[in-house]
Amino acid sequence: EKIIKTVKKYPGLRFHEIKKQAKLANGTVEHHLNHLSKNEEVVKVRYDGKIPRYYTHNMDSNNQIILLRLRQYTASKIIKLLLKYECQTFSQIVKFCKRSPGTVSIYKNQLLKDGIIVGNTDDCNSCQEKANRIKYRLVDDERIRLLVNEYGKTSLRKCTDNLSDVFLSLK
């Protein structure tokens, strides 16, 4: 029951994060997660590479991906910036993230692949950049805002991936 409550409250956590939040021993968490994940009516496992993350059975797969990216520091910085401003160029994103262009490019490309952001040269009412530069925008900013509002005060703020700045900037 503790594990199910933890997964509901903190969707997308990894094994050790669930263990820490539920305050249970390794073996206990492993046994119950294996049992619960075999019955996909309770808990679903989604692999990020080789790393399993745990979600409730009824969480939409798009929401799972967004929550996963919000747990990654650089990806969450990109999302934070695009929530605050309608669109940004790559150089603006790099400057905001304070990471190397290569690092930002990896996360930007992952967000593009996931369908969380889109990049194009369309004009934007809220930016000063010319139309011939690629600008990045969130595909569904309302969905992301809803997820942040729903999980921001519990799940994501307490996450070990350090997302408190995302939620402070949205207030």
Side-chain angles (χ1 to χ4, degrees):
E1 195 172 301
K2 275 185 172 184
I3 293 172
I4 294 170
K5 285 181 182 180
T6 300
V7 170
K8 282 182 184 178
K9 191 173 182 181
Y10 307 106
L13 289 183
R14 297 178 303 216
F15 174 85
H16 291 289
E17 294 166 326
I18 292 171
K19 182 183 91 165
K20 182 179 175 183
Q21 290 297 327
K23 297 178 180 154
L24 295 170
N26 258 358
T28 304
V29 175
E30 184 176 4
H31 170 77
H32 290 291
L33 277 177
N34 285 337
H35 177 71
L36 291 169
S37 62
K38 285 179 184 172
N39 179 4
E40 287 198 358
E41 293 179 19
V42 181
V43 173
K44 281 189 180 178
V45 181
R46 180 185 196 99
Y47 284 85
D48 179 30
K50 294 181 180 182
I51 301 168
R53 292 188 178 261
Y54 299 89
Y55 300 88
T56 57
H57 74 284
N58 58 349
M59 180 169 280
D60 177 83
S61 63
N62 290 328
N63 290 349
Q64 291 176 13
I65 293 169
I66 293 168
L67 286 170
L68 168 64
R69 298 302 169 221
L70 283 170
R71 291 184 184 287
Q72 297 170 329
Y73 181 78
T74 303
S76 71
K77 294 283 280 188
I78 295 168
I79 293 168
K80 171 188 172 181
L81 180 63
L82 296 176
L83 279 171
K84 197 169 189 176
Y85 303 102
E86 183 181 337
C87 67
Q88 295 287 289
T89 63
F90 180 73
S91 61
Q92 290 171 315
I93 294 170
V94 169
K95 184 177 177 181
F96 180 79
C97 290
K98 298 179 183 170
R99 297 284 189 256
S100 73
T103 299
V104 172
S105 181
I106 289 168
Y107 286 96
K108 173 202 52 107
N109 290 340
Q110 189 64 56
L111 292 168
L112 285 166
K113 180 181 164 200
D114 292 339
I116 296 171
I117 66 171
V118 64
N120 56 40
T121 57
D122 294 347
D123 281 330
C124 174
N125 295 332
S126 67
C127 76
Q128 303 158 351
E129 296 295 328
K130 302 295 179 211
N132 59 353
R133 295 197 62 195
I134 295 175
K135 295 175 281 292
Y136 298 93
R137 299 170 179 79
L138 293 170
V139 170
D140 190 351
D141 62 331
E142 284 306 309
R143 177 187 284 232
I144 293 170
R145 285 183 200 283
L146 287 171
L147 285 171
V148 168
N149 286 334
E150 184 171 350
Y151 297 105
K153 292 179 182 164
T154 57
S155 174
L156 299 172
R157 184 175 291 166
K158 291 182 179 179
C159 175
T160 59
D161 292 321
N162 205 6
L163 289 176
S164 59
D165 57 47
V166 171
F167 308 107
L168 294 173
S169 73
L170 295 175
K171 293 186 180 196

